Amino acid sequence: MSLGTLYGISVGTGDPELITVKGLRLLQQSPVVAFPAGIKGKIGVAQRTIEPWLTPQQIQLPLDFPYVQDDRLLNQAWSRAAETVWTYLEQGQDVAFACEGDVSFYSTFNYLQATLQALHPQALIAKVPGVCSPMAAAASLGFPLTILDQRLVILPALHRISELTTILPTADVVVLMKVSSVYEQVWQILAKQGLLETSSIVAKASLPEQVIYDSLVDRPHLALPYFSIMIIKIPPSPPPETLNNLNLHKSNF
């Protein structure tokens, strides 16, 4: 009997229509559909996103990926998830794992893939790319994330706020993932740098409850949900000749 394939399918940021044609085809063809289990019995984003596309005949397989920093507990959870998926794969059944955002962009699927490959090197795995949150946020804001030769830096949830002050002088656009836990500290830094007017936040991008803050001026305190993206646009510095002209004008007074 041939093995089934584990498909890591990017399903986008919440809008069910953001899944690719290829992703939708594989999702609907797979007899087993896995996804991260929601927290405290609530439905997770990936599961909610794919609900319109599933049929009653498909097996739905919620997998537990705890939100903890304990490596031992995480490794145990990944091993349990990998072995659960393997029971179907070794029977020749394909499993589609629905991944919020893009499957290669800060994705839970990467841990499942690595663990499954370590436990069962013969496993067949394929990935389908899709829409990730910075792209969805930029689309909601209505401006390009980058143009021409702009330098883009994407930072995950900040654990050391000093990272931001180091990055700002080196980039043209900075994206902060899951900024809610450090928002007030970030706001203070942006205020000192004069970047509040060109900084924006999209909370729950592409979902019906999406909220947009297209400027952070006079917003030092915001109650943001976990899935909040900040995009900081750093205005270009004036060219040297402009600075020289300013200095000449100043010297005339």
Side-chain angles (χ1 to χ4, degrees):
M1 179 184 295
S2 59
L3 294 174
T5 299
L6 172 63
Y7 292 101
I9 298 179
S10 307
V11 299
T13 52
D15 180 346
E17 293 184 327
L18 290 182
I19 190 172
T20 64
V21 174
K22 181 175 182 177
L24 180 58
R25 174 177 60 80
L26 292 171
L27 178 72
Q28 294 183 319
Q29 286 179 356
S30 298
V32 183
V33 178
F35 42 80
I39 302 174
K40 297 180 180 179
K42 296 181 180 179
I43 186 170
V45 174
Q47 182 183 1
R48 182 168 129 188
T49 302
I50 62 175
E51 270 190 329
W53 307 123
L54 301 183
T55 66
Q57 291 73 35
Q58 291 175 292
I59 297 171
Q60 296 191 32
L61 197 64
L63 301 175
D64 184 31
F65 297 98
Y67 291 87
V68 297
Q69 298 296 321
D70 188 316
D71 288 343
R72 182 181 61 84
L73 293 178
L74 287 172
N75 286 324
Q76 289 176 351
W78 297 333
S79 294
R80 284 194 301 269
E83 292 295 4
T84 300
V85 168
W86 179 249
T87 60
Y88 295 95
L89 298 176
E90 67 176 345
Q91 295 172 21
Q93 293 183 287
D94 293 338
V95 178
F97 182 90
C99 169
E100 179 191 349
D102 179 85
V103 74
S104 298
F105 188 73
Y106 299 116
S107 166
T108 301
F109 180 77
N110 296 312
Y111 303 107
L112 176 61
Q113 175 185 1
T115 306
L116 180 62
Q117 288 175 325
L119 295 172
H120 303 283
Q122 70 273 41
L124 305 176
I125 301 173
K127 290 182 173 182
V128 180
V131 178
C132 62
S133 52
M135 285 51 182
S140 295
L141 289 165
F143 57 61
L145 189 60
T146 56
I147 57 173
L148 299 175
D149 58 351
Q150 287 184 324
R151 294 161 295 177
L152 171 67
V153 175
I154 299 177
L155 297 175
L158 292 169
H159 299 291
R160 296 186 304 277
I161 205 67
S162 59
E163 294 176 14
L164 180 58
T165 56
T166 301
I167 289 298
L168 284 174
T170 70
D172 300 300
V173 182
V174 176
V175 174
L176 302 183
M177 308 283 294
K178 301 170 184 173
V179 72
S180 58
S181 62
V182 292
Y183 173 72
E184 292 188 7
Q185 300 99 302
V186 169
W187 190 94
Q188 295 293 338
I189 291 174
L190 297 181
K192 292 177 182 177
Q193 300 278 350
L195 294 173
L196 293 175
E197 185 66 41
T198 56
S199 297
S200 309
I201 288 178
V202 180
K204 298 187 176 181
S206 83
L207 290 168
E209 57 269 33
Q210 171 183 278
V211 177
I212 293 176
Y213 302 96
D214 55 10
S215 170
L216 301 181
V217 175
D218 299 326
R219 286 173 168 155
H221 310 288
L222 287 176
L224 297 171
Y226 180 74
F227 292 110
S228 295
I229 299 281
M230 178 183 287
I231 299 178
I232 305 166
K233 295 274 191 176
I234 293 91
S237 301
E241 59 271 18
T242 302
L243 293 175
N244 290 335
N245 289 337
L246 288 174
N247 290 332
L248 284 173
H249 287 310
K250 287 179 181 179
S251 65
N252 291 331
F253 291 94

